[in-house]
Amino acid sequence: MPQLVDIKVPGECNTLPEGFWSAIDVWLKKPHVLNKRLCGVKETESKDLRFPFDDPLSELSSDVLSFINSGCSPAKPHEQDKRWSSTVRTFIPKVNCYGKTLHKDVVVKDFGRQQVTFLPFEEDAEGQVSLKKGNIYQIQLCSHHCEEWSLELYVLTPDAWFSDGVVYPKLPWLFSDLLPKLVRWATECKSSEFRSTLSLLPVEKYNLMYQQLKDKYKSMVKVWPEVTDPEKFVYEDVAIATYLLVLWAEERVEKDLTSRQSFIDLGCGNGLLVHILTNEGHPGKGIDVRRRKIWDMYGPQTLLEEKAITPSESFLFPSTDWLIGNHSDELTPWIPVIAARSSHSCRYFALPCCFFDFYGKYQRRQCKKSQYREYIDFIADVSQVSGFNTEEDCLRIPSTKRVCLVGKSRNYQLSAEADAEQRRAHYIQRHRTSCGLIGQGSNIRSDGGCCHGNADSDRTHRSSWGAGFQPRNRVEMVRNCTTLPRDFVDGVVSQVANVLLGMTENDSGASSDEWNQGGSLSVSEVAGLLEQETLQLLKKECGGLQTLLKNNHQVFRVEGGRVCIRNWQERKSSVADAKWKPVAPGAIKTRPCWFHIHHPQGCPLQAQDCAFAHGAEDLRPSSRPLSRRQCSVILCTGMCGF
């Protein structure tokens, strides 16, 4: 009997049966989203068929042909003209454990019966093909009533099923993982806003290159000197470098180039991407406003400059092949412009992250798109106006911001450079006007041109096209609420805690000897308790009010957008509590207990069990002097209750 999964579809949802084929296409084209041991697949053939089949299926045994032609419902009359379609896929495992043997399957779609059959086979180095008959399976969409559907999985010979954990998953996995996922994809009424991953590259070449670079540079994780997560940043930059190296290799073949492309990484950050690309033979350098500790580890062959970048004639690169903007923040919209103005042959790669316009934070203009989709469209528009034939792709990196834009060619001839420059200038000028910067740069007319037509004024115009741009500070500002005045933070903490505790003060259902844990409020409700002046100050900090509350981890628990008083008697409700270890005997307590001082019932823990000091006699000196706030708390113990 087949494994069945019932699909409950509301009457107003019209995703089926069309949604079934959309879901099947995901499994056909992107099996790696479920099977994490695959890098992807390569489609080598696709054609329409009619029964009996053409090669390579014409020599199949009668039981296989009967299996393909079975179905829970007869073909629909209007589908007779195009009943069958076949696709041949070649699987690309992340780690090649098969040598030169290729693992493929023929995917046969029966549109009339709403079913798809998978016929796996192997092809050796000599081109000999062998069918894996034991692993033939079929997925069918069956209609039982007008609004009831089921997804059914059939296996030709279940007892002969073979699994190697890579190309051939275990049979129960098809039931427990594949079918439910297909149900979800088939019944979703939305499509992805973005392209499939690695749509501009040959996936097999990317996978091979990535494995090589990963093995070569994984040691960087162990010696990473920055405070950032080493695994995320190392493997992300390895993946980005892989993408660029494969992209450039394909470009050399396409354009018959003999030398490796040069590059400049604008806003290079930790410089690892520059280091990898340089080591792999591409001449280039990175520029960033702030030097990183890890720069000293790369050696003299990796060229990194500490310099603030301002869009102007001083930062054009006429001899460079490619400009890179990898999470370049405020420089992101300028990357296509700088590339276009550097030379007609200069190309660019941009991976947008934070949302910046030419002269500050990007302001949303369309409510029907996600903010990320809108920003990608904005950068693509900048690219198109700058003169590029813009391509979009999605990288395979451990980040939520994975969409990149590539400008490999121009949409105008070199002879039209003057007109192209006028379009760029006019576009930028419109954004200057919208940002209130029209008074800056007196040589620029409102139409984007220059006040005078001579060469000197044109040079002045080109040197001032970035007027109003604000590069980031050389010294990184701390905006995580830790530099706010202590009295301000204490005031917010007391105000919020008072309200939470007051929510259950008169609850008749609780006994008087129970410790009052208070109620809970959403972060937005907490914000409603605070004065406007307080909220304005918090808005200048990253994360704002929620960050301040999370910083005061001893007092509050913030989960799922709600705030409540933390009860240290219950330490299994969150990851943060679970990581808290019991207090060792004789432990040094360098901070006073907020609950011991401020809670009407004191701390729910005994002094020996609490990680914080219950009174001045319990406080031990730390390796650094006590802050003024800690001293004042010690002096006024018992005087600061509610």
Side-chain angles (χ1 to χ4, degrees), residues 359-426:
Y359 302 105
K361 288 288 186 179
Y362 179 79
Q363 301 298 320
R364 296 203 64 180
R365 300 170 176 86
Q366 303 179 46
C367 60
K368 294 184 178 180
K369 299 179 181 179
S370 68
Q371 185 179 20
Y372 187 39
R373 178 69 264 177
E374 181 183 346
Y375 188 68
I376 293 296
D377 289 344
F378 164 65
I379 301 300
D381 188 46
V382 174
S383 176
Q384 192 276 332
V385 173
S386 296
F388 287 97
N389 295 312
T390 309
E391 297 178 277
E392 179 183 312
D393 205 352
C394 192
L395 304 185
R396 202 167 286 176
I397 57 177
S399 174
T400 57
K401 304 295 192 300
R402 302 185 294 127
V403 178
C404 69
L405 295 172
V406 180
K408 295 194 296 182
S409 61
R410 300 296 174 89
N411 54 25
Y412 66 93
Q413 298 297 321
L414 179 59
S415 57
E417 183 63 47
D419 292 337
E421 172 56 28
Q422 188 174 15
R423 287 193 297 271
R424 287 190 286 264
H426 182 70

Side-chain angles (χ1 to χ4, degrees), residues 418-460:
D419 292 337
E421 172 56 28
Q422 188 174 15
R423 287 193 297 271
R424 287 190 286 264
H426 182 70
Y427 186 86
I428 295 171
Q429 184 62 23
R430 284 194 287 113
H431 282 264
R432 288 171 58 87
T433 305
S434 65
C435 294
L437 299 172
I438 188 63
Q440 300 186 24
S442 58
N443 283 351
I444 304 177
R445 299 198 314 255
S446 60
D447 62 356
C450 304
C451 294
H452 307 285
N454 57 46
D456 290 339
S457 66
D458 183 63
R459 178 174 294 278
T460 303

Side-chain angles (χ1 to χ4, degrees), residues 5-10 13 15-16 18-24 26-27 30 33-34 36 139 141 149-151 175-192:
V5 176
D6 292 330
I7 303 176
K8 303 299 182 183
V9 183
C13 184
T15 59
L16 296 175
E18 291 80 5
F20 168 71
W21 294 111
S22 297
I24 289 296
V26 175
W27 178 236
K30 298 187 290 185
V33 301
L34 276 179
K36 300 303 181 182
I139 299 173
L141 177 68
W149 303 81
S150 67
L151 205 61
F175 303 149
S176 62
D177 290 69
L178 175 58
L179 285 185
K181 188 66 72 172
L182 290 175
V183 169
R184 201 191 82 182
W185 293 336
T187 55
E188 283 181 343
C189 297
K190 62 179 182 178
S191 58
S192 175

Side-chain angles (χ1 to χ4, degrees), residues 34 106 144 181 195 272 304 310 361 400 569:
L34 276 179
V106 179
H144 301 290
K181 188 66 72 172
R195 296 281 301 270
L272 180 57
L304 299 167
T310 55
K361 288 288 186 179
T400 57
Q569 292 175 310

Side-chain angles (χ1 to χ4, degrees), residues 21-56:
W21 294 111
S22 297
I24 289 296
D25 281 342
V26 175
W27 178 236
L28 294 183
K29 301 176 185 300
K30 298 187 290 185
H32 55 275
V33 301
L34 276 179
N35 187 348
K36 300 303 181 182
R37 296 187 178 182
L38 294 179
C39 181
V41 294
K42 179 180 179 181
E43 294 187 48
T44 55
E45 184 180 358
S46 181
K47 61 181 179 179
D48 296 337
L49 299 173
R50 297 190 69 84
F51 190 82
F53 298 108
D54 302 326
D55 287 333

